[in-house]
Amino acid sequence: MDLFLQALINGVILGGFYAVMMLGFSVIWGVMGVINLAHGEMIMLGAYFAWFLNSNYGVDPFVSVLIVMPVMFLLGYVLQLVLINRVVDRPILASLLVTFGLSIAIANLAKLVFTADLRISDTTLSGAWAFGGVTFPVTKTAIMGVALVIMSSLHLFLQRTRTGKSIRAAAQNKQAARIVGIDINRIYALTFGICIAITGVAGAVISPVQAVFPFMGTPLTLRAFTITALAGLGSIPGALMGGVVLGIVESMIGIYVSGIGTNLAIVASFVLLVVILVTRPQGLFGGLRPHEEPAQI
């Protein structure tokens, strides 16, 4: 029973990270219709930024988010205006190729700058709390706390502020939003900047628990696909539930299947992706963008 409870707790904590990790990917897709294949590389950049501040200036990764967030927002804002905005209204293949090329460029640039050595940040939030036969890793619990704060803040921003309502309007119907005076290009740039900032924070907070290296991004992008399919485009409650479901599945398989559990957990996440895409392509929780029925031939 203790083993089951431990696997459950590990899965919930892992799900918190997955939720904040995929949030930017999901919102960009939901609002702009752009599938950002460089999403994992943005997590990698945030992780390297936190590691650099930690190793050179002793800044704790959980404190470094105060620096990482505005810098990554600026990077996302400029990237959208200079590059992504040129392919938003083109066929989706164009945005896929552009972001795929961007992911390769960022990963190889990181390899030139930081080499392929594995890096990890130090944090004062280490150790574990033990309650009733189960343990709560302090660092991963703190990551879960950061994830909840970010998701709550983004939810309030989208629901209560004028800019957030403009972002939702752009996601629902871009032409109608233009008619009522919403500057779509500015809203897209803000959306991309905010999402890249959140993604960078996700990278910063995992830098103490996951090795940072230039090609860590691709598996994270693929997991973002799985959780987005499970949750629905831009759905914040769905992101949390989807992340927790995937985290619990991976944790249970990792603990109960000896020997190959970790590798089998990765396979299970992509089996889950296929099942959701076939049975409920709009996700379990809806999202920012209305579901489009396939055209009848």
Side-chain angles (χ1 to χ4, degrees):
M1 184 61 187
D2 285 350
L3 187 62
F4 174 80
L5 198 56
Q6 186 65 62
L8 190 64
I9 289 170
N10 290 347
V12 171
I13 292 174
L14 180 62
F17 162 67
Y18 281 165
V20 74
M21 180 271 292
M22 59 75 65
L23 202 54
F25 179 87
S26 177
V27 172
I28 288 173
W29 191 353
V31 173
M32 301 166 58
V34 171
I35 301 174
N36 180 19
L37 295 182
H39 180 77
E41 280 65 32
M42 295 300 170
I43 298 175
M44 179 265 290
L45 285 181
Y48 265 122
F49 201 174
W51 168 80
F52 179 81
L53 292 172
N54 180 254
S55 59
N56 288 280
Y57 303 104
V59 180
D60 191 279
F62 288 92
V63 177
S64 72
V65 299
L66 299 175
I67 304 171
V68 172
M69 182 175 274
V71 172
M72 293 297 287
F73 172 83
L74 188 61
L75 172 65
Y77 193 93
V78 172
L79 200 58
Q80 200 282 337
L81 287 180
V82 172
L83 188 63
I84 305 298
N85 202 34
R86 299 177 186 275
V87 295
V88 166
D89 292 325
R90 295 186 181 180
I92 195 166
L93 181 61
S95 62
L96 286 173
L97 290 174
V98 166
T99 55
F100 180 63
L102 187 62
S103 71
I104 293 175
I106 293 173
N108 283 280
L109 187 61
K111 184 182 176 184
L112 287 175
V113 174
F114 298 107
T115 75
D117 293 343
L118 304 182
R119 318 284 187 177
I120 197 154
S121 301
D122 295 323
T123 177
T124 55
L125 299 175
S126 57
W129 296 307
F131 297 101
V134 296
T135 59
F136 294 80
V138 175
T139 308
K140 292 182 178 179
T141 306
I143 293 173
M144 179 72 174
V146 171
L148 291 175
V149 169
I150 288 176
M151 285 186 286
S152 302
S153 302
L154 183 61
H155 180 73
L156 289 174
F157 173 76
L158 291 175
Q159 297 295 326
R160 302 291 178 83
T161 67
R162 184 181 180 86
T163 303
K165 292 175 181 176
S166 298
I167 291 174
R168 289 166 50 207
Q172 291 288 322
N173 191 319
K174 183 170 66 176
Q175 298 305 327
R178 275 202 176 103
I179 291 172
V180 298
I182 294 174
D183 185 343
I184 293 296
N185 289 339
R186 175 179 165 274
I187 289 299
Y188 279 179
L190 278 174
T191 303
F192 204 82
I194 291 169
C195 291
I196 295 302
I198 292 172
T199 305
V201 168
V205 296
I206 65 164
S207 64
V209 296
Q210 178 168 331
V212 182
F213 58 98
F215 301 103
M216 62 184 284
T218 302
L220 297 174
T221 302
L222 293 176
R223 281 193 172 85
F225 259 115
T226 303
I227 302 171
T228 300
L230 193 62
L233 297 178
S235 170
I236 296 174
L240 181 60
M241 293 305 297
V244 168
V245 168
L246 184 61
I248 290 174
V249 168
E250 290 192 0
S251 177
M252 290 289 179
I253 293 176
I255 286 183
Y256 283 104
V257 181
S258 59
I260 60 169
T262 303
N263 292 329
L264 191 61
I266 296 172
V267 174
S269 66
F270 296 114
V271 171
L272 188 61
L273 169 64
V274 173
V275 171
I276 292 297
L277 286 177
V278 170
T279 58
R280 191 173 167 82
Q282 71 271 36
L284 300 179
F285 299 91
L288 290 173
R289 179 171 290 210
H291 174 60
E292 297 176 358
E293 294 294 338
Q296 300 294 323
I297 299 176

